[in-house]
Amino acid sequence: MNRLIHLTLLSLFLIGCRSYIKIGSVKNNVCKSLEKKTVLFAVFVDSDRTHPWSAYDINSTLDSIQVSIDWLEKQAVANGISLDIILEHGINASKDSVIPFKEKFKYESLSGTLFKYKDLTKGIDLVDAWSDNVSKDVARSLPKDTSELVLTKNKLNNRERLIAKLRNQYKTDNIALMFFINNYFENEISVAFHTSSGTEIEYAIVSKKQPTVIVHEFLHLFGACDLYLSPFDHGVFPRLKKRRVMKRYPNEIMAFTHKNLDSLNLSPLTKYLIGWENQLDKKEGRFLVNRRRKVLEY
Ligand SMILES: [Zn+2]
């Protein structure tokens, strides 16, 4: 049985504004609201301890991504949201135009690297460096770009350069960068990084092919948060809040990744976080803020 751990490094940094609270992942970073023209840019990566991507693996994963996209667009229509998701993927031009890129994880696997040190930030830095190295190769494989789009003031890393190029190429701001690894360890994780960050570009690494997992990680990039109980949830109240949400929304995709995609949907909480609703009922908002406060209306 596969052990599926989803870890969202989502520190909901809260910015106080009177009694209204802005949630850090909402309308933030590269992937703001999930609407209009959006590019899901998939990058297939081989590393030492993953199975090499075969043409069959890549094609079946692309099919799975397309199923995920179709489901999301159907949900958008049902919610009156205009959404057009375009699936694109990197092609490793330096290797006779084969698709996968190659980059080793520092400590054998994604989870081995991420959890190498007690201090999780060290592991995140190592995985960031991995994604940055891949991004450098991907950016090189794209057509030359003369735009001078600078996303952060201080430094421009390879992930930022790649995003700037993709934004210019596809003429949209919404670029969801997703790395796919061909799972070797049965218990490998899928994870989204920097979804609340103001300085680091968010991205996801997906180690599964199930559309439910792909949609789940994709939604993280647009601000959704995990609604299932994980070993990373500490404290009685946060755990209680999650249990309540799971009970209230038994088909919520951010809570139940083992279920079939067709049986799942989006709760008001997720719709608010990805920008499909501009306000959240006070009762629903209690998952995010305490009862004296309200989440910001956008
Ligand atoms: Zn998650």
Side-chain angles (χ1 to χ4, degrees):
M1 179 92 172
N2 285 357
R3 185 166 64 99
L4 178 65
I5 305 172
H6 284 268
L7 169 68
T8 306
L9 302 155
L10 177 80
S11 52
L12 292 174
F13 64 84
L14 306 173
I15 301 161
C17 167
R18 289 182 195 152
S19 63
Y20 287 87
I21 299 287
K22 183 187 186 307
I23 306 299
S25 67
V26 176
K27 304 205 181 211
N28 179 51
N29 220 331
V30 171
C31 301
K32 293 190 170 63
S33 295
L34 180 56
E35 58 180 350
K36 303 190 177 104
K37 184 178 173 183
T38 297
V39 173
L40 189 164
F41 196 82
V43 180
F44 296 89
V45 190
D46 282 337
S47 76
D48 271 7
R49 298 289 293 270
T50 55
H51 287 298
W53 281 106
S54 67
Y56 172 80
D57 290 335
I58 288 173
N59 286 330
S60 61
T61 305
L62 286 170
D63 286 347
S64 246
I65 301 173
Q66 194 55 54
V67 168
S68 312
I69 288 174
D70 293 345
W71 183 87
L72 281 159
E73 288 182 341
K74 215 168 105 189
Q75 297 288 320
V77 169
N79 284 278
I81 302 291
S82 154
L83 176 65
D84 178 21
I85 305 176
I86 297 155
L87 171 58
E88 296 286 347
H89 62 265
I91 293 173
N92 191 352
S94 72
K95 307 259 189 231
D96 282 337
S97 294
V98 293
I99 291 175
F101 290 80
K102 198 163 174 58
E103 185 66 32
K104 284 184 202 173
F105 286 104
K106 173 103 179 174
Y107 296 104
E108 296 191 345
S109 64
L110 167 60
S111 46
T113 304
L114 186 59
F115 301 120
K116 176 74 181 172
Y117 300 101
K118 240 186 178 162
D119 178 0
L120 196 58
T121 59
K122 283 191 190 171
I124 295 171
D125 285 348
L126 293 174
V127 179
D128 278 352
W130 176 89
S131 75
D132 218 37
N133 288 340
V134 182
S135 297
K136 192 175 174 182
D137 293 340
V138 179
R140 268 197 205 132
S141 73
L142 297 172
K144 249 201 157 30
D145 171 22
T146 49
S147 70
E148 287 179 22
L149 182 57
V150 176
L151 299 173
T152 56
K153 285 169 194 151
N154 303 322
K155 56 173 184 174
L156 195 62
N157 63 32
N158 292 316
R159 233 166 40 241
E160 286 171 305
R161 280 194 201 100
L162 172 61
I163 293 290
K165 257 187 151 177
L166 292 170
R167 279 179 157 175
N168 187 52
Q169 187 174 334
Y170 296 108
K171 306 286 178 245
T172 181
D173 283 347
N174 270 1
I175 306 282
L177 182 58
M178 301 185 87
F179 299 98
F180 288 81
I181 52 175
N182 210 6
N183 190 19
Y184 181 86
F185 297 101
E186 289 212 322
N187 60 356
E188 188 54 289
I189 55 169
S190 295
V191 59
F193 293 96
H194 306 304
T195 57
S196 298
S197 173
T199 51
E200 288 285 342
I201 295 233
E202 72 275 57
Y203 63 97
I205 304 179
V206 179
S207 64
K208 306 269 174 193
K209 296 185 178 74
Q210 293 93 323
T212 308
V213 175
I214 297 168
V215 171
H216 180 104
E217 297 306 329
F218 180 81
L219 288 171
H220 272 314
L221 298 179
F222 286 87
C225 67
D226 279 323
L227 297 173
Y228 65 87
L229 278 168
S230 83
F232 299 97
D233 291 312
H234 299 295
V236 176
F237 284 115
R239 294 180 70 83
L240 193 71
K241 279 181 179 178
K242 274 200 175 165
R243 277 205 191 92
R244 273 193 199 134
V245 171
M246 289 171 82
K247 208 171 157 193
R248 202 181 312 154
Y249 301 108
N251 298 317
E252 157 64 53
I253 186 149
M254 299 312 290
F256 301 97
T257 48
H258 60 280
K259 291 190 181 179
N260 187 288
L261 189 58
D262 286 331
S263 67
L264 296 171
N265 54 36
L266 308 175
S267 67
L269 202 52
T270 297
K271 286 182 200 171
Y272 172 80
L273 292 171
I274 63 172
W276 285 10
E277 296 283 352
N278 61 1
Q279 53 185 321
L280 189 61
D281 180 85
K282 198 171 176 195
K283 196 176 136 208
E284 307 279 352
R286 276 192 205 142
F287 176 74
L288 299 167
V289 295
N290 72 37
R291 59 175 63 234
R292 286 192 303 265
R293 310 216 165 197
K294 278 174 93 174
V295 293
L296 197 68
E297 207 175 298
Y298 291 93

